Amino acid sequence: MTAMAEAPTPTSEETLLDYFLALEPPEGFRAELIEGELVMTPPPDNDHERCFSKIVKQVLGRSHTDMDVSGNKGIGLSPGGLYPKNYVIPDATFAPSAADLFGLPGNWVPSEAVALVVEVTSSKPDRDRVIKRDAYARANIPLYLLVDREKSTVMLFGEPQDGDYRELHRVPFGKPLPLPAPFSFDLETTDFL
């Protein structure tokens, strides 16, 4: 009698990950896998894009270090939460040009060379305020900039340690927000009003 080896049954996390990676969202939508939840985000409104554009122009034009940016680049965040890996698409991802992060093959980049991620709140702001903030901190992304349109504030989280950010700088719309190295300039927020 010959024993036949059975193929291992995939875990629910592996099944969800396989489904997610094969997913083709409708045009304009973004699909993310955050803490085991499949999230479909509709296209942003014009005010969201205005904030996004103002940040990108300032960082590319004023940063002390030459930066590359992507508005649709997925990041595979390192494990550390309840689930093996998160796959997120920040509103903006900045990396030093010298790292050539966006020159890597594939659709998802590792978080190690990311200098700053930016989120502009939309219809579900708590996802940006809490869930994504925690995922970015666990992945040791050095800086997380959150434009909270509902609260009319801009927050910069920094110094990730032990799964959380140790520093928070918050300013109301209209006040400058200092961005530390490698950016080393004050982000103007007047245009967010």
Side-chain angles (χ1 to χ4, degrees):
M1 181 173 203
T2 308
M4 298 287 288
E6 285 188 34
T9 304
T11 65
S12 60
E13 288 89 8
E14 291 169 330
T15 301
L16 180 61
L17 179 59
D18 289 343
Y19 176 76
F20 168 72
L21 293 174
L23 188 65
E24 293 184 29
E27 187 174 338
F29 280 70
R30 294 188 309 189
E32 300 174 284
L33 183 60
I34 308 169
E35 294 300 306
E37 180 184 355
L38 183 58
V39 178
M40 295 288 282
T41 306
D45 63 29
N46 288 339
D47 183 57
H48 179 283
E49 292 302 277
R50 183 175 56 83
C51 292
F52 166 83
S53 177
K54 300 297 181 185
I55 292 167
V56 169
K57 283 181 186 177
Q58 288 186 62
V59 171
L60 293 181
R62 300 176 64 200
S63 179
H64 184 290
T65 301
D66 189 31
M67 289 285 163
D68 288 336
V69 62
S70 177
N72 283 311
K73 182 48 67 186
I75 304 174
L77 300 180
S78 55
L82 300 174
Y83 296 90
K85 197 164 190 177
N86 288 309
Y87 290 85
V88 298
I89 304 174
D91 290 326
T93 301
F94 291 93
S97 295
D100 195 26
L101 182 65
F102 306 127
L104 297 174
N107 296 327
W108 300 91
V109 296
S111 60
E112 289 77 21
V114 173
L116 169 72
V117 290
V118 177
E119 297 285 359
V120 178
T121 57
S122 54
S123 60
K124 297 195 186 266
D126 285 337
R127 186 174 294 130
D128 296 327
R129 291 178 187 143
V130 179
I131 298 169
K132 281 191 168 184
R133 181 198 69 214
D134 292 348
Y136 295 145
R138 283 194 308 274
N140 288 315
I141 292 179
L143 297 169
Y144 171 40
L145 182 74
L146 175 62
V147 178
D148 194 323
R149 296 185 295 163
E150 186 177 276
K151 295 183 178 183
S152 298
T153 61
V154 182
M155 293 173 272
L156 181 66
F157 297 89
E159 293 199 28
Q161 184 178 2
D162 299 325
D164 200 3
Y165 285 107
R166 295 182 337 140
E167 286 193 6
L168 168 62
H169 298 279
R170 178 189 332 244
V171 297
F173 286 1
K175 300 287 184 187
L177 177 68
L179 296 181
F183 302 95
S184 304
F185 74 93
D186 288 350
L187 180 75
E188 295 300 327
T189 68
T190 303
D191 290 336
F192 299 163
L193 290 169

